[in-house]
Amino acid sequence: MDFFPAGSRAAVRGAADRFTGTVWQDQIHSAAEPARLRALRVFFEPGARTAWHSHPLGQILHITGGTGLVGRRNQPPQLVRAGDSIWISPTEEHWHGAAPGSCMEHIAMHEAQNGFVATWMELVSDEEYLLSPA
Ligand code: MN
């Protein structure tokens, strides 16, 4: 058994080529093989969001605070709030982040395939981000 006391692992700021705005990630779980599950708590400042990306085995997002947006190709973003859970299908291109005037926090859970968890693409443009949400 491994025990990770609160605050014992430093928060990591999201890299500028994968996130727009300020995003902080707290590790929850990233066990070695043969375990596959990865879990992170992610905090987005207003306007902050991921770049477009996909996950080889899908991803579940559970919103734990604030109001956010989840975007898919050729569709207006979906407004999401604390308590919502969103399943992203394997290889589905998407992004997630805070709404323009609100912080958002979620727990992201996904499985690694051959050690990798995401394929990263271009940043989400302001036009894509500011489309009226569904
Ligand atoms: Mn994702």
Side-chain angles (χ1 to χ4, degrees):
M1 188 183 91
D2 292 322
F3 173 58
F4 303 100
S8 66
R9 293 175 291 181
V12 175
R13 189 168 171 170
D17 59 340
R18 294 181 176 181
F19 297 90
T20 299
T22 301
V23 176
W24 287 98
Q25 301 176 314
D26 269 342
Q27 191 70 240
I28 296 174
H29 177 72
S30 183
E33 296 276 347
R36 291 178 150 201
L37 181 66
R38 308 286 172 85
L40 307 163
R41 188 174 70 89
V42 189
F43 180 84
F44 299 82
E45 289 191 351
R49 68 265 190 183
T50 69
W52 285 100
H53 64 284
S54 65
H55 304 282
L57 298 175
Q59 181 179 55
I60 184 82
L61 302 173
H62 183 71
I63 313 299
T64 49
T67 305
L69 295 168
V70 178
R72 293 182 288 170
R73 295 288 185 190
N74 307 311
Q75 293 193 38
Q78 172 74 45
L79 192 64
V80 296
R81 297 186 176 82
D84 292 344
S85 299
I86 305 97
W87 168 246
I88 310 292
S89 299
T91 74
E92 182 175 22
E93 297 183 7
H94 70 288
W95 56 269
H96 25 115
S102 173
C103 297
M104 188 273 276
E105 183 191 70
H106 65 44
I107 294 174
M109 292 161 277
H110 41 263
E111 291 180 293
Q113 185 176 57
N114 301 321
F116 99 101
V117 298
T119 300
W120 290 95
M121 299 156 210
E122 76 278 15
L123 295 176
V124 174
S125 70
D126 287 343
E127 260 182 10
E128 290 169 318
Y129 177 70
L130 293 171
L131 273 177
S132 295

